[in-house]
Amino acid sequence: MESAGLPDILAEWTDFDQAGYRLGRLIGAIPPERRFGSLKGIFWIDGFPLGIMLDEILESMVKAGVLLKNDDLQYRWNPVQPDPDGPLAEEPLPPLQ
């Protein structure tokens, strides 16, 4: 498991595949012995449920205002904490099936 929290892990702009990998490690979905290079394809190729799940979590965090996302498909922790009682700025993601 990662020793730092997600705010520290994503303190700087991080490419989507690396952000997904780090999130997966943090939540225990990716075992510590699996290195990024051995899993990079799950973020680039359609049809890998783990990659899809991690992408959906990152996108949900953007919609909630917890993460920021730039045009280069990079994520970083939002330094301005979102209002947990605030409404969504856009439509929520559809329910997972």
Side-chain angles (χ1 to χ4, degrees), residues 52-64 88 90-96:
I52 292 167
M53 178 198 76
L54 293 169
D55 180 60
E56 289 175 347
I57 292 171
L58 291 169
E59 287 299 313
S60 292
M61 293 176 78
V62 170
K63 287 184 181 283
L88 285 174
E90 52 188 279
E91 288 293 314
L93 293 173
L96 298 177

Side-chain angles (χ1 to χ4, degrees), residues 3-45:
S3 59
L6 205 54
D8 295 325
I9 292 169
L10 297 179
E12 302 296 326
W13 288 111
T14 305
D15 289 335
F16 76 95
D17 50 359
Q18 188 65 240
Y21 172 78
R22 302 293 299 273
L23 174 63
R25 291 278 310 272
L26 183 71
I27 66 174
I30 296 175
E33 66 272 6
R34 295 295 305 265
R35 299 289 171 230
F36 174 69
S38 72
L39 293 170
K40 188 171 181 162
I42 72 168
F43 301 102
W44 285 85
I45 302 168

